[in-house]
Amino acid sequence: RRVHGGITFRFMEFGSRLLSLHCKGACTHSSCLLSALRGARNGLFYGGKVRFTHALVMTLLFRKGTVSSKARDIIKLTWEHARNLGTYVFIYKMIVCILQHLRHKRSWVHAFIAGGIGGYFVFGSKTAVNYQIILYLLSRITVGLGQLAANNGLLPNWSAYPALAAFCWAVVMALHHADTSVLQKSLSDTMVFLYNESDQWKTWRDFVPITLPANM
Protein backbone atom coordinates (compact mmCIF):
# COMPACT_ATOMS: atom_id res chain seq x y z
CA ARG A 1 0.00 0.00 0.00
CA ARG A 2 2.85 2.37 0.80
CA VAL A 3 4.49 1.61 -2.57
CA HIS A 4 1.20 2.07 -4.36
CA GLY A 5 0.55 5.31 -2.49
CA GLY A 6 4.04 6.56 -3.26
CA ILE A 7 3.66 5.88 -6.97
CA THR A 8 0.28 7.59 -7.00
CA PHE A 9 1.71 10.63 -5.21
CA ARG A 10 4.65 10.91 -7.62
CA PHE A 11 2.31 10.54 -10.60
CA MET A 12 0.05 13.30 -9.27
CA GLU A 13 3.06 15.50 -8.56
CA PHE A 14 4.36 14.88 -12.08
CA GLY A 15 0.97 15.74 -13.58
CA SER A 16 0.70 18.90 -11.54
CA ARG A 17 4.10 20.06 -12.81
CA LEU A 18 2.96 19.59 -16.39
CA LEU A 19 -0.31 21.45 -15.82
CA SER A 20 1.22 24.08 -13.58
CA LEU A 21 1.42 27.68 -14.72
CA HIS A 22 4.98 27.77 -13.33
CA CYS A 23 7.19 25.04 -14.82
CA LYS A 24 10.41 24.23 -12.93
CA GLY A 25 11.59 21.28 -15.02
CA ALA A 26 14.02 20.97 -17.93
CA CYS A 27 11.75 23.00 -20.22
CA THR A 28 12.71 26.50 -21.37
CA HIS A 29 9.22 27.96 -20.89
CA SER A 30 7.44 28.96 -17.69
CA SER A 31 4.43 26.64 -18.17
CA CYS A 32 4.13 23.44 -20.22
CA LEU A 33 0.36 23.74 -20.53
CA LEU A 34 0.33 27.38 -21.57
CA SER A 35 3.19 26.76 -23.99
CA ALA A 36 1.25 23.91 -25.63
CA LEU A 37 -1.95 25.99 -25.79
CA ARG A 38 -0.02 28.88 -27.32
CA GLY A 39 1.46 26.47 -29.84
CA ALA A 40 -2.01 25.18 -30.71
CA ARG A 41 -3.18 28.74 -31.27
CA ASN A 42 -0.21 29.48 -33.54
CA GLY A 43 -0.86 26.26 -35.46
CA LEU A 44 -4.50 27.21 -36.00
CA PHE A 45 -3.54 30.71 -37.08
CA TYR A 46 -0.69 29.74 -39.42
CA GLY A 47 -2.46 26.71 -40.92
CA GLY A 48 -5.57 28.76 -41.64
CA LYS A 49 -3.59 31.63 -43.14
CA VAL A 50 -1.53 29.42 -45.44
CA ARG A 51 -4.35 27.09 -46.53
CA PHE A 52 -7.00 29.78 -47.08
CA THR A 53 -5.05 31.62 -49.78
CA HIS A 54 -3.98 28.36 -51.45
CA ALA A 55 -7.48 26.87 -51.34
CA LEU A 56 -9.03 30.10 -52.60
CA VAL A 57 -6.81 30.30 -55.68
CA MET A 58 -6.89 26.58 -56.52
CA THR A 59 -10.66 26.29 -56.03
CA LEU A 60 -11.47 29.32 -58.15
CA LEU A 61 -9.11 28.25 -60.92
CA PHE A 62 -9.64 24.50 -61.15
CA ARG A 63 -12.79 23.38 -59.32
CA LYS A 64 -16.22 23.34 -60.87
CA GLY A 65 -19.49 24.02 -59.08
CA THR A 66 -21.59 26.78 -57.65
CA VAL A 67 -20.25 29.69 -55.64
CA SER A 68 -21.65 28.19 -52.44
CA SER A 69 -20.06 24.78 -53.07
CA LYS A 70 -16.71 26.41 -53.78
CA ALA A 71 -16.99 28.46 -50.59
CA ARG A 72 -17.72 25.30 -48.60
CA ASP A 73 -14.69 23.58 -50.13
CA ILE A 74 -12.45 26.51 -49.23
CA ILE A 75 -13.71 26.59 -45.63
CA LYS A 76 -13.41 22.80 -45.29
CA LEU A 77 -9.82 22.69 -46.55
CA THR A 78 -8.81 25.70 -44.46
CA TRP A 79 -10.32 24.25 -41.28
CA GLU A 80 -8.70 20.84 -41.82
CA HIS A 81 -5.25 22.35 -42.25
CA ALA A 82 -5.63 24.73 -39.30
CA ARG A 83 -7.14 22.10 -36.99
CA ASN A 84 -4.55 19.45 -37.79
CA LEU A 85 -1.59 21.76 -37.42
CA GLY A 86 -2.89 23.21 -34.16
CA THR A 87 -3.62 19.74 -32.76
CA TYR A 88 -0.21 18.46 -33.82
CA VAL A 89 1.65 21.33 -32.18
CA PHE A 90 -0.24 20.81 -28.90
CA ILE A 91 0.45 17.04 -28.85
CA TYR A 92 4.09 17.51 -29.84
CA LYS A 93 4.85 20.11 -27.18
CA MET A 94 3.11 18.18 -24.41
CA ILE A 95 4.95 14.93 -25.22
CA VAL A 96 8.30 16.76 -25.33
CA CYS A 97 7.53 18.27 -21.92
CA ILE A 98 6.62 14.86 -20.50
CA LEU A 99 9.87 13.32 -21.74
CA GLN A 100 11.97 16.22 -20.49
CA HIS A 101 10.38 16.02 -17.04
CA LEU A 102 10.95 12.26 -16.95
CA ARG A 103 14.58 12.38 -18.09
CA HIS A 104 15.46 15.78 -16.58
CA LYS A 105 17.20 16.94 -19.74
CA ARG A 106 16.60 18.14 -23.29
CA SER A 107 17.38 15.93 -26.30
CA TRP A 108 16.68 15.67 -30.01
CA VAL A 109 15.38 12.15 -29.25
CA HIS A 110 12.42 13.72 -27.45
CA ALA A 111 11.60 15.77 -30.53
CA PHE A 112 11.89 12.68 -32.73
CA ILE A 113 9.56 10.59 -30.55
CA ALA A 114 7.02 13.38 -30.07
CA GLY A 115 7.07 14.22 -33.77
CA GLY A 116 6.48 10.60 -34.73
CA ILE A 117 3.59 10.11 -32.31
CA GLY A 118 1.92 13.37 -33.30
CA GLY A 119 2.46 12.74 -36.99
CA TYR A 120 0.92 9.27 -36.80
CA PHE A 121 -2.22 10.29 -34.96
CA VAL A 122 -2.82 13.67 -36.62
CA PHE A 123 -1.52 13.26 -40.16
CA GLY A 124 -1.87 9.48 -40.48
CA SER A 125 -5.09 9.71 -42.49
CA LYS A 126 -4.36 10.17 -46.19
CA THR A 127 -6.44 13.21 -47.11
CA ALA A 128 -5.59 15.73 -49.80
CA VAL A 129 -4.44 18.28 -47.21
CA ASN A 130 -2.38 15.81 -45.16
CA TYR A 131 -0.81 14.27 -48.25
CA GLN A 132 0.29 17.66 -49.54
CA ILE A 133 1.81 18.54 -46.18
CA ILE A 134 3.70 15.23 -46.01
CA LEU A 135 5.08 15.68 -49.53
CA TYR A 136 6.17 19.21 -48.62
CA LEU A 137 7.95 17.94 -45.51
CA LEU A 138 9.55 15.04 -47.38
CA SER A 139 11.21 17.38 -49.85
CA ARG A 140 12.42 19.71 -47.10
CA ILE A 141 13.83 16.99 -44.84
CA THR A 142 15.63 15.36 -47.77
CA VAL A 143 17.48 18.61 -48.42
CA GLY A 144 17.96 19.17 -44.68
CA LEU A 145 19.48 15.72 -44.13
CA GLY A 146 21.85 16.29 -47.04
CA GLN A 147 22.93 19.65 -45.61
CA LEU A 148 23.37 18.12 -42.14
CA ALA A 149 25.56 15.39 -43.60
CA ALA A 150 27.65 18.01 -45.42
CA ASN A 151 28.00 20.10 -42.25
CA ASN A 152 29.31 17.04 -40.39
CA GLY A 153 31.78 16.08 -43.11
CA LEU A 154 29.86 13.03 -44.31
CA LEU A 155 29.29 14.57 -47.75
CA PRO A 156 31.40 17.02 -49.72
CA ASN A 157 30.34 20.58 -48.88
CA TRP A 158 29.61 21.80 -52.39
CA SER A 159 26.50 23.14 -54.05
CA ALA A 160 24.46 20.11 -55.00
CA TYR A 161 21.51 22.03 -56.38
CA PRO A 162 22.31 21.41 -60.09
CA ALA A 163 22.67 17.68 -59.38
CA LEU A 164 19.45 17.72 -57.36
CA ALA A 165 17.57 19.43 -60.19
CA ALA A 166 18.91 16.93 -62.71
CA PHE A 167 18.00 13.97 -60.48
CA CYS A 168 14.44 15.17 -59.81
CA TRP A 169 13.65 15.82 -63.47
CA ALA A 170 15.31 12.62 -64.62
CA VAL A 171 13.30 10.48 -62.19
CA VAL A 172 9.96 12.18 -62.77
CA MET A 173 10.29 11.89 -66.55
CA ALA A 174 11.28 8.24 -66.26
CA LEU A 175 8.28 7.51 -64.02
CA HIS A 176 5.94 9.33 -66.39
CA HIS A 177 7.31 7.35 -69.31
CA ALA A 178 7.12 4.01 -67.48
CA ASP A 179 3.75 4.42 -65.70
CA THR A 180 2.37 7.89 -65.10
CA SER A 181 -0.37 6.51 -62.83
CA VAL A 182 2.17 6.05 -60.01
CA LEU A 183 2.56 9.83 -59.80
CA GLN A 184 0.22 12.06 -57.84
CA LYS A 185 -2.88 12.74 -59.96
CA SER A 186 -2.36 16.47 -60.29
CA LEU A 187 1.26 15.92 -61.36
CA SER A 188 0.27 13.09 -63.71
CA ASP A 189 -2.41 15.27 -65.35
CA THR A 190 0.11 18.05 -65.79
CA MET A 191 2.63 15.69 -67.37
CA VAL A 192 0.03 14.32 -69.78
CA PHE A 193 -0.99 17.85 -70.77
CA LEU A 194 2.60 18.96 -71.33
CA TYR A 195 4.11 15.94 -73.05
CA ASN A 196 1.31 13.75 -74.44
CA GLU A 197 -1.37 16.17 -75.56
CA SER A 198 1.28 18.30 -77.27
CA ASP A 199 1.77 15.45 -79.76
CA GLN A 200 -1.56 16.37 -81.40
CA TRP A 201 -2.93 19.60 -82.88
CA LYS A 202 -5.66 20.68 -85.27
CA THR A 203 -5.24 24.35 -86.15
CA TRP A 204 -2.93 27.29 -85.55
CA ARG A 205 -4.97 28.07 -82.43
CA ASP A 206 -3.37 25.11 -80.69
CA PHE A 207 -0.01 26.95 -80.79
CA VAL A 208 -1.21 30.14 -79.10
CA PRO A 209 -0.29 30.09 -75.37
CA ILE A 210 -3.65 31.53 -74.25
CA THR A 211 -7.28 30.49 -74.64
CA LEU A 212 -8.77 32.36 -77.59
CA PRO A 213 -12.47 33.22 -78.00
CA ALA A 214 -14.37 30.70 -80.09
CA ASN A 215 -15.29 33.29 -82.77
CA MET A 216 -11.68 34.12 -83.61
Side-chain angles (χ1 to χ4, degrees):
R1 290 183 179 180
R2 291 181 179 179
V3 173
H4 178 72
I7 294 175
T8 302
F9 175 77
R10 287 195 294 271
F11 180 79
M12 293 177 63
E13 183 183 17
F14 174 72
S16 66
R17 287 203 305 267
L18 286 177
L19 300 178
S20 173
L21 300 182
H22 303 286
C23 177
K24 297 181 181 180
C27 304
T28 57
H29 43 251
S30 59
S31 168
C32 294
L33 179 60
L34 293 183
S35 174
L37 289 174
R38 172 67 171 172
R41 176 267 175 192
N42 286 1
L44 283 166
F45 175 80
Y46 184 79
K49 180 179 69 173
V50 170
R51 178 57 59 175
F52 176 77
T53 53
H54 179 271
L56 177 66
V57 173
M58 298 301 291
T59 299
L60 293 179
L61 288 179
F62 298 109
R63 292 203 177 192
K64 298 180 181 180
T66 63
V67 175
S68 60
S69 67
K70 290 182 178 180
R72 284 195 299 270
D73 288 340
I74 293 171
I75 294 173
K76 179 182 178 182
L77 293 171
T78 301
W79 168 241
E80 181 183 352
H81 194 147
R83 178 199 63 205
N84 287 3
L85 191 57
T87 303
Y88 173 82
V89 175
F90 181 85
I91 292 174
Y92 168 81
K93 290 178 76 72
M94 287 303 295
I95 293 177
V96 166
C97 287
I98 291 172
L99 293 174
Q100 288 178 168
H101 279 281
L102 289 174
R103 303 186 69 206
H104 305 289
K105 65 178 182 178
R106 303 178 67 199
S107 171
W108 67 268
V109 176
H110 302 161
F112 183 84
I113 294 173
I117 294 174
Y120 180 84
F121 286 104
V122 178
F123 294 102
S125 299
K126 189 178 180 181
T127 66
V129 171
N130 286 350
Y131 190 43
Q132 186 179 45
I133 293 173
I134 296 305
L135 290 179
Y136 173 86
L137 291 176
L138 180 61
S139 64
R140 296 307 189 270
I141 64 174
T142 300
V143 174
L145 288 172
Q147 187 61 56
L148 181 64
N151 292 345
N152 287 276
L154 301 177
L155 290 176
N157 196 6
W158 48 274
S159 177
Y161 181 78
L164 177 64
F167 174 77
C168 288
W169 281 104
V171 172
V172 75
M173 296 311 301
L175 288 174
H176 173 65
H177 178 80
D179 184 3
T180 192
S181 66
V182 301
L183 299 173
Q184 189 182 16
K185 188 178 185 306
S186 60
L187 175 58
S188 177
D189 291 344
T190 301
M191 301 290 278
V192 169
F193 175 75
L194 293 175
Y195 304 108
N196 297 86
E197 292 184 13
S198 59
D199 287 339
Q200 302 175 3
W201 56 87
K202 294 180 180 179
T203 67
W204 61 271
R205 297 162 61 90
D206 294 322
F207 294 90
V208 180
I210 59 174
T211 301
L212 296 174
N215 57 0
M216 285 188 62

